[in-house]
Amino acid sequence: MLALLVALLALAGCGSSSSGSSSTAASTSAPAETTPATSTSTPATSGGSSNVKLEANPEGQLAYNTKSLSAKAGTVSIDFTNSSPLPHNVTIESSSGAKVGATPTFSGGSKSLSVNLKPGTYKFFCSVPGHRQAGMEGTLTVQ
Ligand SMILES: [Cu+2]
């Protein structure tokens, strides 16, 4: 009876030997995917463009709302509004008197004219007969 007990204890003692195998945690960390940064840098416009607003006198006087405009050299957009009952236009003329561009003659609404201008002094006027003489003209300075 006693021998059996000893035998059982002995067995238990032997079985308590723990195996020291430590499970090595497999570190399978995938490398972070580096998405290539698409740099959308806006290229500096060399020519430049400017927008100029001009308005005819809405009461029907033969006048623009200004006699002097200025713009940067390059593409110049002139937004001309004519709320007057009289038809008008905007004509651009170089200092030598050459016509550079013009909007159609119209009444009501607005039209825009896009011209490529070099630095210099230009004239803007309405080419409807009598209008320029009456005062519908001004100076456009391009720098
Ligand atoms: Cu006019």
Side-chain angles (χ1 to χ4, degrees):
M1 191 60 194
L2 187 73
L4 188 65
L5 251 174
V6 169
L8 279 170
L9 281 169
L11 273 169
C14 282
S16 70
S17 70
S18 62
S19 63
S21 68
S22 62
S23 63
T24 51
S27 62
T28 54
S29 60
E33 279 187 30
T34 52
T35 50
T38 51
S39 61
T40 53
S41 60
T42 51
T45 50
S46 57
S49 62
S50 48
N51 205 284
V52 165
K53 288 195 188 309
L54 186 63
E55 205 175 315
N57 181 282
E59 277 86 47
Q61 290 177 37
L62 300 180
Y64 293 117
N65 65 334
T66 183
K67 283 198 170 283
S68 68
L69 294 172
S70 59
K72 281 191 294 184
T75 305
V76 179
S77 296
I78 299 161
D79 292 332
F80 175 51
T81 303
N82 181 16
S83 307
S84 122
L86 295 172
H88 294 299
N89 67 50
V90 176
T91 304
I92 308 293
E93 198 177 75
S94 73
S95 56
S96 62
K99 185 177 158 183
V100 178
T103 66
T105 301
F106 69 99
S107 175
S110 60
K111 295 206 184 300
S112 63
L113 165 70
S114 197
V115 281
N116 207 300
L117 300 177
K118 288 194 276 278
T121 305
Y122 298 79
K123 287 283 182 192
F124 65 89
F125 61 92
C126 178
S127 68
V128 173
H131 289 201
R132 184 182 189 177
Q133 290 75 10
M136 288 195 82
E137 76 171 323
T139 304
L140 168 62
T141 307
V142 177
Q143 287 166 324

